[in-house]
Amino acid sequence: MPDLDSSETPGNGSGLAVGFDLDLTLADTRAGIGAVYAALAAETGVPIDTAQVVARIGPPLEEELAYWFPAGEVPVMAARYRTIYADIAVPATVAMPGAVAALEAVRARGGRIIVVSGKNQADTERTVRHLGLEVDEVVGGLFGADKGVALRAHGARAYIGDHTGDVDAARAASAVAVAVATGSFDSAALTAYGADVVLPDLLPFPGWLGEFAA
């Protein structure tokens, strides 16, 4: 487990700072993302298995689009996806179970909350605002170890996410990797990948945080 001596915590200010992933960690975006891909399929005539799409939520948009469109069409499809996302996906997004309580637990301990997501900046901000999540910083457009730069800059001592890429993010930031088995990886897979802590979902998070921040 990384050294969490607060006197050496990077970033602005001091004290507890916790990072959270967005999709399938704080936000249940499955219905919305599936609806956007269904709209792309209807517009282009390309069959898209939205169940497969939803099962792979996490990596960058372009990676998923490459399963369905030729490489040369991916940039255009990505632009179209982002154009329609706000109107289709954001209204269909709901908070994951325990998300609000998890953030409140951080806040109750005087902590700062940083959301770092692979979703583009504008839609990350829209989603956080739509759900009414009270956070201190929102950073979009980063995946895997690249998230570590933002987490380190804001002094995150732990990062909570549902994907193995989120474990990489925590490692890159020298933070504790807290995995929730609410996405495409189950508890066994997240444990095998090397997460420091594995929770079934966010519901037990306040209890874990109480011990971590003591």
Side-chain angles (χ1 to χ4, degrees), residues 2-207:
D3 180 5
L4 298 176
D5 183 276
S6 61
S7 66
E8 298 179 3
T9 300
N12 300 324
S14 60
L16 179 66
V18 180
F20 288 86
D21 175 48
L22 185 61
D23 288 27
L24 301 187
T25 299
L26 293 174
D28 189 344
T29 53
R30 288 172 290 197
I33 288 174
V36 175
Y37 276 92
L40 289 180
E43 288 182 6
T44 62
V46 173
I48 298 177
D49 186 336
T50 58
Q52 288 190 30
V53 170
V54 168
R56 288 192 290 253
I57 289 174
L61 169 63
E62 288 79 4
E63 289 189 19
E64 181 60 42
L65 288 170
Y67 284 103
W68 311 106
F69 297 96
E73 296 180 16
V74 166
V76 173
M77 290 298 102
R80 181 57 181 156
Y81 178 101
R82 293 182 175 117
T83 296
I84 64 178
Y85 189 95
D87 291 335
I88 295 176
V90 173
T93 299
V94 297
M96 292 291 286
V100 172
L103 300 185
E104 289 176 345
V106 177
R107 193 73 72 202
R109 289 164 176 78
R112 299 176 64 252
I113 299 163
I114 304 98
V115 171
V116 184
S117 174
K119 194 184 302 298
N120 69 85
Q121 184 71 30
D123 287 326
T124 299
E125 292 177 0
R126 289 186 185 106
T127 301
V128 168
R129 188 165 55 247
H130 167 72
L131 296 177
L133 302 178
E134 295 187 10
V135 306
D136 296 287
E137 303 288 345
V138 176
V139 181
L142 298 174
F143 179 69
D146 289 342
K147 290 183 176 183
V149 176
L151 294 169
R152 186 178 288 276
H154 292 292
R157 294 175 57 193
Y159 184 59
I160 296 81
D162 65 285
H163 198 280
T164 54
D166 297 324
V167 177
D168 295 336
R171 290 280 178 268
S174 297
V176 172
V178 181
V180 287
T182 48
S184 55
F185 295 92
D186 62 17
S187 295
L190 292 165
T191 298
Y193 195 77
D196 296 309
V197 179
V198 178
L199 305 174
D201 50 40
L202 285 175
L203 295 175
F205 176 81

